[in-house]
Amino acid sequence: MEGKDIIAKAPTGTGKTCAFGIPLILGLDQSRNYPQAASWRPRGSWRSRSPKTCRTWRSFYPDIRVVTVYGGANIQKQIEKLKKGAQIVVATPGRLQDHMNRRTVDLSHVTTVVLDEADEMLNMGFYKDVRKILDQIKSRQRLAMFSATISREVMDIGWLYQRDAEEITVQPVEDSAPRIDQYLVLTTGRNKLADMAEIIVQKGYKRVMVFCNQKYTTAMLANQMARLNFVVDCLHGDLSQAERNKLWANSKRAISLCWCDRRGRRGIDVSEVDAVFNYDVPDSNDIHAPHRPHRAREAY
């Protein structure tokens, strides 16, 4: 609210979206129908709550318009929305740069920029895109970066584009820590599928997520489980954004299993998951925990 540059590190679920979203909205001139604030986030995390939350706040401020632009979606529809005007633009760096090149978005009045999940976005190769866009926003008065970890790239952007930034660290507390029972099942390669299916049936799980290291394994296991009469959907990093959106729209129904490779799992935000299975041992320290879990159990 004081208008300072910020580098904020906080665990998932501690309110980062509200921390930057509410000051964004309160600082807008609602009578002006052009972008005054911009929030960028990586494409893989687009199913998270930030864009949806910003649109929800419009119920309190009906004159505020929020437009989301991201890769993999119909760019013409995005152009039409931008033509109607908006005070806040929530975007992925790549698609935002595309709109800037087409001159379909005007950021000349943007005073506040927020990098949401900054570490992941910069580590995904958007470092040059972010710098290029920031260099073109001459009216920028403040830059805030929010993420669960602070990487070298985040610190570099801070050093280049921030002034006397306020550094805020929220330490993990028990209330924000995932309440997950984790255990390891020792099994052979040929028996993994049968053992997992048996656990799902015996425990009476209705909704689970399964993570694999490769797209091929993801598709193969999804087909095998479908033959066992499980309702299955398959998500991986090669799907377009439209295909991802369709999958998650379907997931609101009674889907029993959702198969994801490691690329496709970023930013997943699904409630009421009974269990998460890491079917393959992760190649690195990338063991996935359910985002904002409810009663999840996790097996490896």
Side-chain angles (χ1 to χ4, degrees):
M1 293 298 295
E2 295 175 1
K4 296 182 179 180
D5 288 344
I6 295 173
I7 298 179
K9 173 184 175 182
T12 296
T14 50
K16 292 191 291 293
T17 302
C18 283
F20 70 76
I22 292 175
L24 272 189
I25 289 179
L26 294 180
L28 295 175
D29 183 349
Q30 299 182 42
S31 64
R32 305 292 184 179
N33 196 27
Y34 49 69
Q36 302 165 43
S39 174
W40 310 338
R41 53 188 305 107
R43 175 192 167 189
S45 66
W46 203 253
R47 291 304 304 182
S48 70
R49 298 189 177 190
S50 179
K52 180 180 179 181
T53 302
C54 288
R55 289 193 295 267
T56 300
W57 290 333
R58 288 178 54 196
S59 61
F60 299 97
Y61 299 92
D63 293 333
I64 291 178
R65 286 180 53 82
V66 180
V67 171
T68 58
V69 296
Y70 49 88
N74 188 305
I75 192 169
Q76 195 59 44
K77 292 183 179 179
Q78 294 176 355
I79 292 174
E80 293 173 0
K81 291 180 179 179
L82 288 168
K83 284 182 178 179
K84 295 178 180 178
Q87 289 94 357
I88 300 176
V89 176
V90 184
T92 55
R95 179 51 64 92
L96 182 60
Q97 184 65 61
D98 193 358
H99 280 287
M100 294 175 71
N101 294 338
R102 294 168 180 256
R103 300 183 181 231
T104 52
V105 63
D106 178 14
L107 301 182
S108 62
H109 300 285
V110 169
T111 58
T112 303
V113 174
V114 176
L115 305 188
D116 193 11
E117 299 192 22
D119 55 345
E120 185 174 331
M121 178 167 54
L122 295 172
N123 292 339
M124 288 172 65
F126 288 116
Y127 182 83
K128 291 183 178 179
D129 289 336
V130 168
R131 286 199 58 185
K132 187 174 182 180
I133 298 172
L134 286 174
D135 288 339
Q136 297 179 70
I137 304 179
K138 305 300 183 182
S139 58
R140 178 179 55 82
Q141 299 176 6
R142 63 191 64 87
L143 171 64
M145 294 188 287
F146 290 76
S147 60
T149 62
I150 303 299
S151 64
R152 172 62 185 272
E153 290 82 1
V154 172
M155 297 304 296
D156 286 346
I157 292 294
W159 184 78
L160 290 169
Y161 295 98
Q162 292 183 316
R163 179 184 302 173
D164 298 327
E166 190 82 17
E167 296 186 16
I168 302 170
T169 300
V170 177
Q171 297 295 338
V173 295
E174 184 178 353
D175 289 343
S176 64
R179 295 181 176 87
I180 305 171
D181 296 331
Q182 303 184 50
Y183 59 90
L184 171 71
V185 178
L186 297 177
T187 180
T188 59
R190 66 176 62 184
N191 292 329
K192 283 201 297 184
L193 175 62
D195 288 341
M196 183 175 65
E198 183 178 358
I199 291 173
I200 293 171
V201 173
Q202 285 189 353
K203 297 292 186 180
Y205 293 149
K206 301 300 182 183
R207 200 177 196 197
V208 307
M209 303 189 73
V210 182
F211 291 92
C212 308
N213 287 342
Q214 297 180 345
K215 181 181 71 174
Y216 170 79
T217 307
T218 303
M220 179 187 68
L221 290 177
N223 289 333
Q224 290 177 338
M225 291 299 287
R227 292 173 188 166
L228 296 176
N229 296 323
F230 288 93
V231 180
V232 185
D233 245 322
C234 186
L235 172 67
H236 52 76
D238 289 345
L239 293 179
S240 68
Q241 191 64 45
E243 291 172 319
R244 290 178 178 222
N245 291 344
K246 182 178 179 180
L247 185 149
W248 289 117
N250 291 337
S251 72
K252 296 177 182 178
R253 301 196 297 264
I255 289 182
S256 299
L257 300 169
C258 180
W259 300 82
C260 305
D261 67 1
R262 299 282 158 185
R263 287 177 59 203
R265 64 97 174 135
R266 289 191 180 96
I268 290 174
D269 185 1
V270 181
S271 61
E272 301 302 324
V273 174
D274 295 320
V276 174
F277 291 86
N278 283 282
Y279 191 85
D280 294 322
V281 176
D283 295 329
S284 61
N285 187 22
D286 190 31
I287 293 177
H288 179 75
H291 185 45
R292 297 182 182 90
H294 290 258
R295 58 175 188 278
R297 303 292 181 266
E298 186 162 21
Y300 306 101

